[in-house]
Amino acid sequence: MGTFNLYSKNNVNFALQAGIELPTGIQKNSNFDNTTVIIGSGSYDPMAGILFSKHWNKMTFVGNVLYKYTSTGFQDNYYGSIAIQNATLSYKIKAGGRLNTIDKREEKEISNFGWSIFGGYYGEWLDKIKEDDAIDENSGYYLGFANLGTNLSYKKWSFPLTLSLPIINGMNGTQNDSGFRLRIGIIRSL
């Protein structure tokens, strides 16, 4: 996936995202019963999205929408397209490291260490699965999460930690509601 900046002026940025998911999915039989386990669709799936950001003082607002069209996969089945929405407001406690990308001060004045906190909303929609030309009514959903987190940076490295609490559980048919999510990441800037 690539992000292509279209507009950048007065601390406002607008970009397009585009990419393709390669058919790296696998299909295998379960060791526990007579079901088949499928990870990924096994098809080429194009993605497109838009990204917006606004920066002022120590705060940054970022919003994005991304859609992945899932084409026909294993055994000519459709495993559901997905759309995500995200809106985040972050506050920079300490400028430095990777968190310094927008700061205009001279590099020698900036610390190697940076720290920010953030909160926002993350939404995820998944289409219903279609197998053997029949739609599975117990598949697909819309989930909405309230996100809280922090991001520590050191030089070109960044370590985000996000806690996501479900506030919308729009499940189709009989499915388990979503629980909380805890995400830990490691990012290296080039």
Side-chain angles (χ1 to χ4, degrees):
M1 176 173 321
T3 301
F4 309 95
N5 198 25
L6 296 179
Y7 177 83
S8 184
K9 190 173 182 179
N10 298 327
N11 294 322
V12 173
N13 297 293
F14 181 75
L16 292 179
Q17 295 178 306
I20 189 161
E21 185 177 81
L22 300 176
T24 57
I26 61 170
Q27 178 180 6
K28 63 181 183 176
N29 293 328
S30 171
N31 293 330
F32 302 107
D33 54 26
N34 291 329
T35 62
T36 301
V37 176
I38 296 172
I39 301 171
S41 67
S43 61
Y44 290 97
D45 301 334
M47 296 177 267
I50 56 174
L51 198 97
F52 167 83
S53 71
K54 168 69 174 132
H55 173 76
W56 59 101
N57 297 326
K58 292 187 169 202
M59 298 185 78
T60 303
F61 174 79
V62 176
N64 75 304
V65 176
L66 180 70
Y67 179 77
K68 181 185 84 164
Y69 172 76
T70 300
S71 55
T72 302
F74 293 115
Q75 299 175 359
D76 292 327
N77 292 325
Y78 169 73
Y79 294 103
S81 296
I82 189 167
I84 62 167
Q85 315 86 46
N86 191 37
T88 303
L89 183 63
S90 65
Y91 178 78
K92 191 184 307 182
I93 294 172
K94 177 162 178 47
R98 189 171 179 271
L99 296 175
N100 184 44
T101 55
I102 300 176
D103 206 308
K104 304 289 185 204
R105 292 182 290 169
E106 291 183 29
E107 195 169 313
K108 65 182 180 181
E109 296 177 24
I110 301 299
S111 167
N112 286 329
F113 173 76
W115 180 28
S116 71
I117 56 174
F118 57 86
Y121 178 81
Y122 170 81
E124 183 177 286
W125 169 83
L126 179 67
D127 200 4
K128 293 181 181 181
I129 295 172
K130 185 176 180 183
E131 296 180 302
D132 300 323
D133 290 325
I135 294 174
D136 181 354
E137 296 299 331
N138 292 319
S139 66
Y141 56 79
Y142 182 83
L143 299 173
F145 294 89
N147 290 336
L148 297 171
T150 187
N151 189 22
L152 298 173
S153 290
Y154 182 74
K155 294 186 179 180
K156 292 186 177 185
W157 292 90
S158 183
F159 306 94
L161 172 66
T162 307
L163 174 63
S164 301
L165 303 170
I167 54 176
I168 299 173
N169 271 301
M171 312 303 274
N172 295 325
T174 306
Q175 298 185 65
N176 291 329
D177 284 343
S178 177
F180 75 92
R181 297 177 179 179
L182 183 64
R183 293 183 177 151
I184 301 170
I186 300 174
I187 300 168
R188 168 100 167 50
S189 298
L190 298 176

